[in-house]
Short mmCIF file of all heavy atoms in Angstrom, two decimals:
data_model
loop_
_atom_site.label_atom_id
_atom_site.label_comp_id
_atom_site.label_asym_id
_atom_site.label_seq_id
_atom_site.Cartn_x
_atom_site.Cartn_y
_atom_site.Cartn_z
N ASP A 640 121.64 105.97 95.48
CA ASP A 640 122.72 105.48 96.35
C ASP A 640 122.49 105.88 97.81
O ASP A 640 122.71 105.08 98.72
CB ASP A 640 124.08 105.99 95.88
CG ASP A 640 124.51 105.36 94.56
OD1 ASP A 640 124.02 104.26 94.23
OD2 ASP A 640 125.34 105.96 93.87
N LYS A 641 122.03 107.09 98.05
CA LYS A 641 121.78 107.57 99.42
C LYS A 641 120.64 106.79 100.07
O LYS A 641 120.74 106.38 101.23
CB LYS A 641 121.45 109.07 99.39
CG LYS A 641 121.06 109.65 100.73
CD LYS A 641 122.22 109.68 101.69
CE LYS A 641 121.84 110.45 102.94
NZ LYS A 641 122.18 109.75 104.15
N VAL A 642 119.57 106.56 99.33
CA VAL A 642 118.43 105.81 99.87
C VAL A 642 118.84 104.38 100.20
O VAL A 642 118.52 103.86 101.27
CB VAL A 642 117.23 105.85 98.90
CG1 VAL A 642 116.12 104.91 99.37
CG2 VAL A 642 116.69 107.27 98.76
N LEU A 643 119.58 103.75 99.30
CA LEU A 643 120.06 102.38 99.55
C LEU A 643 120.99 102.33 100.77
O LEU A 643 120.91 101.41 101.59
CB LEU A 643 120.75 101.81 98.32
CG LEU A 643 119.83 101.51 97.13
CD1 LEU A 643 120.67 101.13 95.91
CD2 LEU A 643 118.83 100.42 97.47
N GLN A 644 121.83 103.34 100.90
CA GLN A 644 122.73 103.42 102.05
C GLN A 644 121.92 103.58 103.35
O GLN A 644 122.23 102.94 104.36
CB GLN A 644 123.69 104.58 101.87
CG GLN A 644 124.71 104.72 102.98
CD GLN A 644 125.62 105.90 102.75
OE1 GLN A 644 125.19 106.95 102.25
NE2 GLN A 644 126.87 105.74 103.11
N ASP A 645 120.89 104.41 103.32
CA ASP A 645 120.05 104.62 104.50
C ASP A 645 119.32 103.33 104.89
O ASP A 645 119.23 102.99 106.08
CB ASP A 645 119.04 105.74 104.26
CG ASP A 645 119.68 107.11 104.17
OD1 ASP A 645 120.85 107.26 104.59
OD2 ASP A 645 119.01 108.03 103.68
N ILE A 646 118.82 102.60 103.91
CA ILE A 646 118.15 101.33 104.18
C ILE A 646 119.12 100.35 104.84
O ILE A 646 118.79 99.69 105.82
CB ILE A 646 117.56 100.73 102.88
CG1 ILE A 646 116.41 101.60 102.38
CG2 ILE A 646 117.08 99.29 103.11
CD1 ILE A 646 115.94 101.27 100.97
N GLU A 647 120.34 100.28 104.33
CA GLU A 647 121.34 99.38 104.90
C GLU A 647 121.72 99.80 106.32
O GLU A 647 121.93 98.94 107.18
CB GLU A 647 122.59 99.32 104.01
CG GLU A 647 122.38 98.50 102.76
CD GLU A 647 121.86 97.09 103.05
OE1 GLU A 647 122.45 96.38 103.88
OE2 GLU A 647 120.85 96.71 102.44
N THR A 648 121.78 101.08 106.58
CA THR A 648 122.08 101.57 107.93
C THR A 648 121.02 101.11 108.92
O THR A 648 121.34 100.62 110.01
CB THR A 648 122.19 103.11 107.94
OG1 THR A 648 123.26 103.50 107.09
CG2 THR A 648 122.43 103.65 109.34
N VAL A 649 119.76 101.25 108.54
CA VAL A 649 118.67 100.83 109.42
C VAL A 649 118.72 99.32 109.64
O VAL A 649 118.57 98.83 110.77
CB VAL A 649 117.30 101.27 108.86
CG1 VAL A 649 116.16 100.67 109.66
CG2 VAL A 649 117.20 102.78 108.85
N LYS A 650 118.99 98.56 108.58
CA LYS A 650 119.10 97.10 108.71
C LYS A 650 120.22 96.73 109.67
O LYS A 650 120.07 95.82 110.50
CB LYS A 650 119.35 96.45 107.35
CG LYS A 650 118.14 96.39 106.47
CD LYS A 650 118.48 95.71 105.16
CE LYS A 650 117.30 95.55 104.26
NZ LYS A 650 117.65 94.85 103.00
N GLU A 651 121.35 97.42 109.58
CA GLU A 651 122.48 97.14 110.48
C GLU A 651 122.11 97.41 111.93
O GLU A 651 122.49 96.63 112.82
CB GLU A 651 123.69 97.98 110.07
CG GLU A 651 124.33 97.52 108.78
CD GLU A 651 125.43 98.45 108.31
OE1 GLU A 651 125.91 99.30 109.10
OE2 GLU A 651 125.85 98.32 107.14
N ILE A 652 121.39 98.49 112.19
CA ILE A 652 120.98 98.81 113.56
C ILE A 652 120.00 97.75 114.08
O ILE A 652 120.09 97.31 115.23
CB ILE A 652 120.36 100.22 113.65
CG1 ILE A 652 121.36 101.29 113.24
CG2 ILE A 652 119.80 100.48 115.05
CD1 ILE A 652 122.59 101.37 114.11
N LEU A 653 119.07 97.32 113.23
CA LEU A 653 118.15 96.26 113.64
C LEU A 653 118.92 94.99 113.98
O LEU A 653 118.67 94.36 115.02
CB LEU A 653 117.12 96.00 112.53
CG LEU A 653 116.07 97.09 112.33
CD1 LEU A 653 115.29 96.84 111.04
CD2 LEU A 653 115.13 97.17 113.52
N LEU A 654 119.84 94.60 113.12
CA LEU A 654 120.63 93.39 113.37
C LEU A 654 121.45 93.52 114.65
O LEU A 654 121.56 92.56 115.41
CB LEU A 654 121.54 93.09 112.17
CG LEU A 654 120.83 92.58 110.93
CD1 LEU A 654 121.78 92.59 109.73
CD2 LEU A 654 120.28 91.18 111.16
N ALA A 655 122.00 94.70 114.89
CA ALA A 655 122.79 94.92 116.11
C ALA A 655 121.93 94.81 117.36
O ALA A 655 122.43 94.62 118.46
CB ALA A 655 123.47 96.29 116.05
N ASN A 656 120.60 94.94 117.18
CA ASN A 656 119.66 94.83 118.29
C ASN A 656 118.90 93.51 118.24
O ASN A 656 117.75 93.42 118.67
CB ASN A 656 118.70 96.02 118.27
CG ASN A 656 119.33 97.27 118.82
OD1 ASN A 656 119.28 97.51 120.01
ND2 ASN A 656 119.96 98.05 117.96
N ASP A 657 119.57 92.50 117.67
CA ASP A 657 119.03 91.13 117.62
C ASP A 657 117.67 91.05 116.95
O ASP A 657 116.78 90.31 117.39
CB ASP A 657 118.96 90.54 119.04
CG ASP A 657 120.29 90.59 119.74
OD1 ASP A 657 121.32 90.30 119.08
OD2 ASP A 657 120.34 90.91 120.94
N THR A 658 117.48 91.82 115.88
CA THR A 658 116.23 91.85 115.15
C THR A 658 116.50 91.56 113.68
O THR A 658 117.30 92.26 113.06
CB THR A 658 115.54 93.23 115.29
OG1 THR A 658 115.33 93.49 116.68
CG2 THR A 658 114.23 93.27 114.55
N ASP A 659 115.84 90.55 113.14
CA ASP A 659 115.98 90.21 111.74
C ASP A 659 115.12 91.16 110.91
O ASP A 659 113.89 91.15 111.04
CB ASP A 659 115.54 88.77 111.51
CG ASP A 659 115.68 88.30 110.08
OD1 ASP A 659 115.96 89.13 109.19
OD2 ASP A 659 115.52 87.09 109.85
N PRO A 660 115.73 91.98 110.05
CA PRO A 660 114.95 92.93 109.25
C PRO A 660 113.86 92.25 108.41
O PRO A 660 112.81 92.84 108.18
CB PRO A 660 115.99 93.60 108.35
CG PRO A 660 117.28 93.43 109.07
CD PRO A 660 117.17 92.13 109.80
N ASP A 661 114.10 91.03 107.98
CA ASP A 661 113.12 90.32 107.16
C ASP A 661 111.88 89.90 107.96
O ASP A 661 110.85 89.56 107.38
CB ASP A 661 113.75 89.09 106.52
CG ASP A 661 114.82 89.44 105.51
OD1 ASP A 661 114.73 90.53 104.90
OD2 ASP A 661 115.76 88.65 105.33
N GLU A 662 111.96 89.92 109.27
CA GLU A 662 110.84 89.52 110.12
C GLU A 662 110.09 90.70 110.73
O GLU A 662 109.07 90.51 111.38
CB GLU A 662 111.36 88.61 111.25
CG GLU A 662 112.05 87.35 110.77
CD GLU A 662 111.11 86.39 110.06
OE1 GLU A 662 109.92 86.34 110.45
OE2 GLU A 662 111.56 85.73 109.12
#
Side-chain angles (χ1 to χ4, degrees):
D640 291 337
K641 175 68 172 132
V642 172
L643 291 173
Q644 183 181 36
D645 291 344
I646 293 168
E647 285 306 309
T648 298
V649 172
K650 285 181 177 181
E651 289 174 15
I652 298 298
L653 289 169
L654 288 168
N656 282 271
D657 304 319
T658 302
D659 182 351
D661 294 330
E662 301 294 327

